[in-house]
Amino acid sequence: MKIIPAYKNNQIIIANVTIGDSFFSRARGLMFTRTLAPDSAYLLKDCNSVHTFFMHFTIGVVYLSPDFVITKIVPVMARRSLSSDRSARHTLELHPATLAALSLSVGDQLRF
């Protein structure tokens, strides 16, 4: 899988973003992963819903439009739950503390 940084206003905000762009990488996502480092995230391309079944930790979720504009933010998504945004095209999963520290807002544009 490909790992790239995420940018906001030409500044790196997350150093290690793993890209899930195949059926299997999206299906697996962060399931069965033991931890999520604060400087890491998982971008699910062409995916507008996520679940936290079979996950060992809570996550923060950022939904993105086709051009990576934030459409919805879920600050803390508990284990064994579902979330979606019909207007989104992509989903970014990250550590809740990282999401809080980034102070992202709906309408912000990210670049990968």
Side-chain angles (χ1 to χ4, degrees), residues 50 58 104:
V50 295
T58 60
L104 297 174

Side-chain angles (χ1 to χ4, degrees), residues 1 18 25 28-37 40 42 53-59 79 93:
M1 281 186 263
T18 302
S25 64
R28 183 176 187 273
L30 293 172
M31 286 191 308
F32 310 112
T33 303
R34 289 284 174 197
T35 61
L36 178 62
S40 298
Y42 200 91
F53 301 109
F54 312 108
M55 292 182 64
H56 299 280
F57 47 85
T58 60
I59 59 172
R79 293 176 61 208
E93 300 177 334

Side-chain angles (χ1 to χ4, degrees), residues 45-99:
K45 294 188 87 178
D46 299 317
C47 176
N48 65 0
S49 65
V50 295
H51 68 82
T52 54
F53 301 109
F54 312 108
M55 292 182 64
H56 299 280
F57 47 85
T58 60
I59 59 172
V61 180
V62 177
Y63 291 97
L64 302 161
S65 70
D67 55 349
F68 302 105
V69 173
I70 297 173
T71 60
K72 179 180 174 181
I73 298 172
V74 180
V76 179
M77 190 169 156
R79 293 176 61 208
R80 298 180 197 93
S81 59
L82 300 164
S83 177
S84 67
D85 180 6
R86 295 189 93 151
S87 67
R89 174 78 177 266
H90 313 291
T91 305
L92 183 67
E93 300 177 334
L94 64 163
H95 195 286
T98 302
L99 180 53

